[in-house]
Amino acid sequence: SGVEFTVDDSQKYAGYVLHIGTVSGKGDMKVGDKVTVAVDFARRALVAKNHTATHILNFALRSVLGGKIDQKGSLVDECKLRFDFSHNKPIEIDEMRKIEEICNREIQKANTIHFREVALKKAEAINGLRAVFGEKYPDPVRVVSVGPSIDNLLNDAKTPWGMDASIEFCGGTHVANTSEIYKFVLLIEEGIAKGVRRIVAVTGPQAAVEATLKSLALRVEVDETRTLQGALLDTRIAELRKNVGEDKEVSLIMKKDMLIDIDNLKAGQLQLGKAASKEFEKKAKEDGEQLAKEANAASGKTFVGVVDAGAGSDDAKCIGFAMEVAITKCPDKALMFLSNAGGKLAVLAVVPKALQGALSAKAWSTKVLDAVGGKGGGKEDRAQGQTPDGSKLDEALAAAKSYP
């Protein structure tokens, strides 16, 4: 009469199966009403793919990590499968790769899924059967086998069937053939409690392909980053690490591979950075030696010079390197070096002890920094500062040369 009850869940309680859901439409439902049951087969088909894939995953985990793996919980719906299991450490990338490969290999075998209700005692005698520890099973119990027929399992007690196939007690819905699963893609592997790990995966043409396509899109971004250099590369590496690390809808294997590539990019950038820093230091010291010669040849008690170690250099560090050399070659004059090669404008003033009182490094640098809107500090013998506006070199030079 226009009333619809949508079943969201069902639970067994006190010998009854309770259907839990919501009533929609006009009217009420009451005990004794006749209803028409309609299964959402589209959703069930997706759940079935994920459920059978969970059995295959359990088999793959034991194959790679060993027979001590025990199921600790699972959830399957139309979107994903989730499987909790005993393991005392994170799964290594090579192990995850093998697990995913085994799952997809079993899917591609196009194995038939066999099931039958069997007397519990007889079912428990199946060689290699997997059951959940501590679980109480009904008698008879439903045996689900991915590949081997139930007759073979029951009639051949010598063959260790569980070594080569998934054989479990299960009352849930499954596909008829593993080829229906299409593809298995790992998304998440994480710890949820001491000694318990969790895997989340997707199956089916849409979900699995979408996860792979998203991974490929990120892979393109990682590959394009290889063409960048310097600060731009540093920024992009940070962005990619965040994007790749936080996206939980991409292939975990591809994600791990990309993170390794990003780390390698970072390591390469650090090596290049160290090599470049050495070159900048070398050039700054060469400038310091040349400026010292010019200072010795110049008249007056003060000398102002410009250090140019090259684009991308650290201006503050480079004038420091240059000054280290210059004060040993020209110890009797007050020196001020400036640099804007790296994009900022850095200032460093040094006044020898013999000239202190008449001259002040702090007053000198303050005068220059005030002229260009910079900030700094220091003492009478040595003072420094900088401004982010590297274009104000000429104004800084004019102020520096007008001191005292």
Side-chain angles (χ1 to χ4, degrees):
S1 59
V3 181
E4 184 176 284
F5 180 73
T6 302
V7 179
D8 299 318
D9 192 14
S10 60
Q11 296 288 335
K12 191 174 182 181
Y13 182 76
Y16 294 92
V17 176
L18 304 182
H19 292 81
I20 304 161
T22 55
V23 177
S24 60
K26 295 181 179 181
D28 298 312
M29 294 188 74
K30 57 184 180 295
V31 176
D33 284 351
K34 291 185 177 181
V35 297
T36 300
V37 178
V39 176
D40 184 349
F41 286 105
R43 179 180 182 276
R44 175 176 281 189
L46 296 173
V47 173
K49 295 179 197 297
N50 287 332
H51 193 180
T52 305
T54 301
H55 282 225
I56 295 172
L57 171 61
N58 193 5
F59 166 74
L61 287 169
R62 297 196 318 275
S63 300
V64 175
L65 303 179
K68 292 183 179 180
I69 297 298
D70 280 320
Q71 179 177 339
K72 295 297 182 181
S74 69
L75 179 147
V76 291
D77 59 25
E78 69 273 26
C79 300
K80 65 184 181 302
L81 65 92
R82 192 180 75 197
F83 190 75
D84 301 339
F85 57 97
S86 59
H87 195 56
N88 58 9
K89 61 180 179 179
I91 301 176
E92 301 292 336
I93 178 65
D94 288 340
E95 292 172 330
M96 285 190 284
R97 202 184 307 277
K98 288 178 183 177
I99 290 164
E100 189 175 83
E101 286 174 355
I102 290 172
C103 289
N104 283 303
R105 182 191 69 201
E106 293 300 306
I107 290 168
Q108 291 163 11
K109 283 181 179 179
N111 285 320
T112 299
I113 312 302
H114 301 277
F115 56 88
R116 183 191 303 172
E117 287 195 346
V118 179
L120 181 59
K121 191 171 182 179
K122 195 173 183 181
E124 288 176 335
I126 295 173
N127 195 342
L129 171 87
R130 291 294 294 186
V132 178
F133 180 77
E135 185 82 9
K136 290 184 179 181
Y137 292 99
D139 190 4
V141 66
R142 187 168 181 254
V143 178
V144 176
S145 171
V146 181
S149 70
I150 304 299
D151 284 336
N152 286 342
L153 299 180
L154 296 174
N155 296 330
D156 182 355
K158 293 183 179 179
T159 300
W161 299 102
M163 296 294 292
D164 297 314
S166 168
I167 304 160
E168 299 187 33
F169 293 159
C170 181
T173 184
H174 287 275
V175 296
N177 188 285
T178 57
S179 61
E180 296 174 38
I181 301 171
Y182 185 76
K183 188 176 182 180
F184 177 97
V185 178
L186 284 170
L187 297 186
I188 299 171
E189 189 280 329
E190 60 187 358
I192 59 169
K194 185 176 181 180
V196 180
R197 307 296 298 178
R198 169 173 290 172
I199 278 179
V200 178
V202 291
T203 66
Q206 183 173 350
V209 170
E210 282 181 1
T212 303
L213 289 175
K214 285 183 179 180
S215 303
L216 291 173
L218 283 172
R219 164 55 66 186
V220 170
E221 292 185 40
V222 173
D223 291 341
E224 287 177 346
T225 301
R226 299 178 192 279
T227 63
L228 305 178
Q229 294 181 346
L232 190 58
L233 176 57
D234 283 333
T235 300
R236 191 66 184 126
I237 286 173
E239 291 174 350
L240 276 175
R241 172 162 277 285
K242 182 175 182 294
N243 293 342
V244 173
E246 291 181 353
D247 197 329
K248 294 188 175 183
E249 294 183 350
V250 302
S251 163
L252 181 61
I253 305 300
M254 295 182 73
K255 177 192 289 190
K256 293 286 186 181
D257 288 341
M258 283 186 280
L259 287 172
I260 290 171
D261 286 348
I262 291 170
D263 287 341
N264 289 338
L265 281 173
K266 182 65 176 177
Q269 174 72 344
L270 288 173
Q271 289 181 347
L272 288 173
K274 288 178 181 179
S277 294
K278 288 182 178 179
E279 286 299 313
F280 291 143
E281 180 180 349
K282 179 183 178 183
K283 180 62 170 62
K285 288 180 176 179
E286 290 174 353
D287 282 3
E289 189 161 348
Q290 178 60 35
L291 291 172
K293 290 180 182 179
E294 295 176 14
N296 283 323
S299 60
K301 298 179 179 179
T302 64
F303 177 82
V304 178
V306 176
V307 176
D308 184 358
S313 60
D314 186 314
D315 293 303
K317 285 184 178 180
C318 286
I319 55 176
F321 293 139
M323 189 64 77
E324 286 177 16
V325 175
I327 58 177
T328 61
K329 304 287 184 178
C330 181
D332 301 324
K333 284 191 177 180
L335 304 175
M336 174 172 280
F337 289 168
L338 302 92
S339 175
N340 70 341
K344 298 180 180 180
L345 175 57
V347 177
L348 173 62
V350 173
V351 175
K353 189 173 182 179
L355 296 178
Q356 291 172 24
L359 300 173
S360 165
K362 185 175 182 180
W364 197 5
S365 65
T366 298
K367 181 176 183 179
V368 175
L369 291 168
D370 285 348
V372 295
K375 294 181 179 180
K379 298 181 180 179
E380 300 301 306
D381 62 329
R382 188 183 182 97
Q384 63 281 321
Q386 65 180 11
T387 176
D389 188 352
S391 67
K392 295 185 176 181
L393 178 62
D394 290 340
E395 293 96 316
L397 284 170
K401 292 176 180 179
S402 67
Y403 180 82

